[in-house]
Amino acid sequence: MNRQFEYTSAMQDLHFTPQQKVEIAARAAEAAQAAPRRKRRPIGRTALIAACLTVVLAVSAGATGVLKSAIDVFSPIFGGSAAQTEIIDKIGYPVGASDTDNGVTITADAVMGDRYNAVIIYTISRDDGTALLPEGAEDAMLLVHGNGTDLSILGGTHGGSYFVVEDPAASSIQMVETRSSDVPLNDCTATAVFENLYQWDEETGEAVPIVEGKWKLKFEMAYEDSSITLGSGETFSQGGMTFTIDAVTISPVAYKVDYTVDREVVWSESGSGRQAPEDARQMEQYLENVEILLTKTDGTVIDLSNAGGSIGPEDGKTVCSKGEVFDEILPLEELASVSVGGVEFPIPAE
């Protein structure tokens, strides 16, 4: 199955710029092929296409659900050590906004993040206490339609979503959404629209609805920015081009690297929405091949190179941004350095 072709074919009638088409298709294909970690799944193909096609609706504030503490919400998923819970308690923000339809309630439990990245955890529950999912349903095959969480910011964003099912017979499950942006997103208003819960059927290649309904929530992304910024003007060369590092932003939750390339990217003008081979090579050269390595104080090295981002031509150069949310909370005191293209930046102890 050619998933790259499927994604780009599905979007061929949309009116995006060539650069936008390339970025959306590449991120979608990368997400579909990524190996899931800790029961997480990248954003589903149907959910992603629906997000591209759905018009953002005007949404009123949802009802208030049960307000859980940020520690109770995030610790089971992002780590429950003393250092991790201390960070969650500091930067996590309980939400409790909810909406109910057809006997099922979706609640935005809590958010946390830094200036450019955010994590939102939702709970989906059946109100009568019966099992939410049909027998045999698996979290890795679940997806939801709608435009997901819209942060109403003027900038490029990317991210993913996955489901956490501790007990398949339980009346509730959790959905985790991550968002990364090239502009600040903390202290903005989030609007979430979800429609129907589906299970992907690999045999038929279709999404089968298992929970029907439409839910609308609105809440504030009022969490504390926990990031620090490193670097300014350092350079490295690869592929015959010079990369200038503008800033490296890192927090216990996520990272972001901004850099400028001394050659302007030129996208093809195929107009079909399918990613042309030359555009795929451009994505590799300007974004994918930029190595980012995070070294912990115990010597462990984490490869962060496989992340989404943005590429934009500007006055003969190309402005790029690359980053994502971590799979777990990483206290800064446990991090020694981060390197970008071989340029190493020590992480100062707090």
Side-chain angles (χ1 to χ4, degrees):
M1 177 184 304
N2 189 336
R3 293 192 174 183
Q4 175 74 23
F5 176 80
E6 289 176 0
Y7 283 116
T8 50
S9 298
M11 293 188 292
Q12 63 182 346
D13 294 327
L14 299 180
H15 300 290
F16 295 104
T17 66
Q19 178 190 346
Q20 288 173 320
K21 293 174 184 177
V22 171
E23 291 177 3
I24 293 172
R27 292 173 193 154
E30 178 182 305
Q33 295 167 357
R37 293 171 289 181
R38 221 182 61 256
K39 288 192 174 182
R40 73 180 290 176
R41 72 182 304 272
I43 201 165
R45 72 187 94 178
T46 308
L48 179 70
I49 295 170
C52 295
L53 296 174
T54 302
V55 176
V56 177
L57 303 175
V59 181
S60 59
T64 300
V66 176
L67 190 63
K68 302 177 182 177
S69 75
I71 291 177
D72 289 340
V73 173
F74 286 109
S75 292
I77 299 174
F78 286 89
S81 71
Q84 289 170 325
T85 56
E86 182 179 352
I87 292 170
I88 294 171
D89 187 48
K90 180 181 179 181
I91 68 174
Y93 178 71
V95 177
S98 66
D99 192 21
T100 300
D101 188 27
N102 198 25
V104 174
T105 298
I106 294 184
T107 302
D109 292 319
V111 300
M112 70 175 179
D114 58 28
R115 190 177 186 187
Y116 299 105
N117 305 273
V119 184
I120 310 163
I121 296 187
Y122 296 92
T123 293
I124 307 174
S125 59
R126 196 176 294 280
D127 297 343
D128 62 7
T130 59
L132 176 71
L133 304 177
E135 186 176 354
E138 299 180 7
D139 53 5
M141 303 306 292
L142 298 177
L143 57 150
V144 65
H145 281 192
N147 68 305
T149 306
D150 178 11
L151 301 180
S152 302
I153 54 177
L154 298 177
T157 63
H158 64 277
S161 64
Y162 59 96
F163 292 83
V164 178
V165 180
E166 296 295 339
D167 179 5
S171 61
S172 65
I173 63 173
Q174 288 178 304
M175 179 174 65
V176 181
E177 275 200 277
T178 64
R179 287 289 179 269
S180 297
S181 172
D182 54 14
V183 298
L185 50 75
N186 60 319
D187 200 27
C188 68
T189 299
T191 300
V193 178
F194 303 110
E195 185 171 0
N196 297 343
L197 180 65
Y198 295 80
Q199 178 171 257
W200 185 258
D201 189 324
E202 286 284 5
E203 292 185 3
T204 63
E206 296 180 348
V208 179
I210 55 177
V211 177
E212 296 185 351
K214 188 170 185 177
W215 303 268
K216 305 176 184 179
L217 304 87
K218 191 172 184 179
F219 53 93
E220 300 302 317
M221 300 285 287
Y223 58 84
E224 180 179 338
D225 175 20
S226 58
S227 64
I228 60 173
T229 300
L230 309 170
S232 178
E234 296 82 358
T235 64
F236 65 93
S237 298
Q238 61 184 43
M241 302 187 299
T242 299
F243 294 68
T244 300
I245 301 169
D246 301 311
V248 178
T249 306
I250 190 165
S251 75
V253 179
Y255 71 98
K256 177 174 175 284
V257 177
D258 299 305
Y259 55 93
T260 301
V261 187
D262 67 347
R263 184 187 304 170
E264 185 169 340
V265 65
V266 179
W267 302 111
S268 67
E269 298 291 341
S270 64
S272 68
R274 296 179 175 86
Q275 187 181 33
E278 56 266 36
D279 288 337
R281 288 192 291 271
Q282 298 270 46
M283 289 290 293
E284 291 178 357
Q285 193 173 21
Y286 285 87
L287 191 74
E288 297 170 12
N289 291 344
V290 174
E291 182 184 68
I292 304 174
L293 301 176
L294 179 64
T295 302
K296 302 179 70 175
T297 53
D298 64 3
T300 302
V301 177
I302 304 172
D303 191 344
L304 305 176
S305 307
N306 187 27
S310 62
I311 303 174
E314 185 177 303
D315 299 328
K317 299 181 179 180
T318 303
V319 178
C320 304
S321 177
K322 183 174 179 176
E324 66 179 354
V325 173
F326 296 135
D327 281 339
E328 62 178 335
I329 290 174
L330 300 175
L332 293 182
E333 60 267 25
E334 297 179 7
L335 306 181
S337 65
V338 58
S339 70
V340 180
V343 180
E344 186 171 8
F345 300 93
I347 298 175
E350 292 187 327

